[in-house]
Amino acid sequence: MSEAAVPLVDLSESREGPGRAVAAEAIRRACETIGFFAVTGHGVPQDVIAAARREALAFFARPREVKMQTPQPPERISRGYSWLGSRGLAFSLGNRTPPDLQESFAMGPVEPAPAALDGTEDARAFFAPNVWPAVQPGLQPAFEAYYRAMAELSAHVLQLFATALGLPRDHFDAEIDHHTSTMRAILYPPPPETVEEGQLRAGEHTDYGTLTIVRGDDVPGGLQVRTRAGAWIDVHPPAEGFVCNIGDLMMRWSNDHWLSNLHRVALPPAEAGNRARLTFAFFHNPNADALIEPIRGFYREGEAAKYPPARFGDLFLRKHLSAQTMKAAQGAGA
């Protein structure tokens, strides 16, 4: 595979038999070279995708004062509405940029925290209640159905990751049985006539968790990923498919043999017209108390671990909070 391309992996025969090994090997090569791959044959019903899209577009079309009735909480966790200019993803890498040109609506787990986390900081940070707009009762069931479908797909891909790493297929199962994943519907509106220097729809960043699954409109001003040679290339989603990328935790788990890669969302060229772009991004995260340490799979024969063991919750919160533009600008979340 050329590193100047995002490979396509067919998952339709990846549950059992030879097709499983084929899919796992394709994923391994993609994760070693560019950290991104697209999938088809995923089994997610198209009506689930369509319903979530319909409800998202209806929500973003509402007046700002209505959307602000379900704002992101003051603790800056991924719940509710984040307004245009409230986030800057490049801050997560310590890069100060103008705010990203996007608005979004986020949700977290639909199941309650496990009993072992009752009353803990992990429960507050990762299992906070979701907030839903009273004026749009159809949004909650549509988003929850999409979230559950993405969680199921993620669990399957994590089993393929285990196979790709030379581990038993259920290796990660115990680390994700109370996963702390979040989902964000993101609207990138038509950009204003004048933008600030360095301003993008989403600044350069890497993701934080195990796996991100993206469903986005294939229009100008979309997702771009950086190759190892330093070039930015456009990522085009397959028809009825998804784009996947690994996050920092999976890179850490692989002892840096897999690549959590820089990506961004560019501004559309002037000649492309004044078009908005809708994206759903599912950020799969393990259990809050999952211990993240380099895996002794086939990569680590005679190789020392590059990272000490660390809890997922501790690794995640520091980086997540720094992506909130106002907190970073004030020096908080450090």
Side-chain angles (χ1 to χ4, degrees):
M1 181 199 74
S2 166
E3 73 161 17
V6 172
L8 179 64
V9 181
D10 184 0
L11 300 182
S12 59
E13 297 184 8
S14 64
R15 299 283 175 178
E16 302 292 344
R20 177 177 184 81
V22 171
E25 176 63 13
I27 288 172
R28 181 186 67 79
R29 293 196 304 268
C31 291
E32 288 175 346
T33 54
I34 198 165
F36 276 70
F37 56 95
V39 297
T40 57
H42 46 74
V44 177
Q46 290 299 312
D47 60 340
V48 170
I49 298 171
R53 176 183 173 82
R54 181 174 61 250
E55 291 292 335
L57 289 173
F59 175 80
F60 288 125
R62 295 184 182 278
R64 175 185 167 91
E65 60 269 21
V66 175
K67 292 182 284 191
M68 288 298 294
Q69 292 173 7
T70 50
Q72 182 186 32
E75 297 83 2
R76 294 291 189 175
I77 58 176
S78 293
R79 304 291 187 273
Y81 177 65
S82 294
W83 51 97
L84 190 70
S86 64
R87 306 175 75 228
L89 290 175
F91 277 69
S92 65
L93 296 178
N95 299 323
R96 290 176 176 265
T97 64
D100 294 340
L101 294 172
Q102 60 170 263
E103 57 181 313
S104 62
F105 188 93
M107 63 174 290
V110 295
E111 305 297 337
L117 295 185
D118 283 350
T120 66
E121 180 67 14
D122 283 339
R124 185 201 66 78
F126 294 105
F127 290 90
N130 289 310
V131 294
W132 303 105
V135 298
Q136 192 173 330
L139 190 144
Q140 178 178 356
F143 275 33
E144 287 185 345
Y146 188 93
Y147 181 101
R148 287 191 167 97
M150 292 297 100
E152 183 177 340
L153 177 58
S154 295
H156 176 53
V157 174
L158 262 290
Q159 289 194 344
L160 292 173
F161 282 177
T163 299
L165 290 164
L167 301 165
R169 66 187 296 173
D170 63 351
H171 177 84
F172 294 110
D173 289 4
E175 307 292 351
I176 66 170
D177 56 348
H178 298 292
H179 66 91
T180 56
S181 308
T182 59
M183 186 185 82
R184 191 174 290 273
I186 309 167
L187 183 74
Y188 304 102
E193 292 185 5
T194 302
V195 298
E196 298 182 55
E197 183 178 356
Q199 193 166 31
L200 297 170
R201 283 177 156 177
E204 298 174 16
H205 65 284
T206 60
D207 292 339
Y208 321 147
T210 53
L211 169 72
T212 303
I213 303 178
V214 174
R215 172 86 176 199
D217 294 342
D218 191 12
V219 298
L223 179 63
Q224 295 182 327
V225 60
R226 195 178 74 172
T227 69
R228 287 187 182 268
W232 288 98
I233 61 171
D234 294 327
V235 181
H236 297 285
E240 300 187 353
F242 298 98
V243 173
C244 302
N245 64 277
I246 65 166
D248 298 345
L249 289 189
M250 190 53 63
M251 184 170 175
R252 190 179 181 113
W253 254 331
S254 73
N255 212 34
D256 287 355
H257 285 278
W258 287 10
L259 177 64
S260 177
N261 206 354
L262 279 174
H263 52 284
R264 66 188 186 185
V265 180
L267 295 175
E271 63 271 17
N274 215 19
R275 300 179 65 181
R277 179 176 184 264
L278 179 69
T279 291
F280 280 88
F282 181 84
F283 302 99
H284 184 270
N285 298 320
N287 300 347
D289 57 357
L291 192 66
I292 311 301
E293 58 183 326
I295 298 162
R296 189 167 291 283
F298 61 80
Y299 288 122
R300 284 193 57 206
E301 291 299 324
E303 178 180 282
K306 295 183 178 180
Y307 303 97
R311 291 177 69 258
F312 163 70
D314 299 333
L315 293 170
F316 177 85
L317 288 176
R318 180 182 297 269
K319 187 170 182 181
H320 167 73
L321 290 177
S322 64
Q324 312 298 321
T325 302
M326 293 306 296
K327 292 188 77 69
Q330 295 166 359

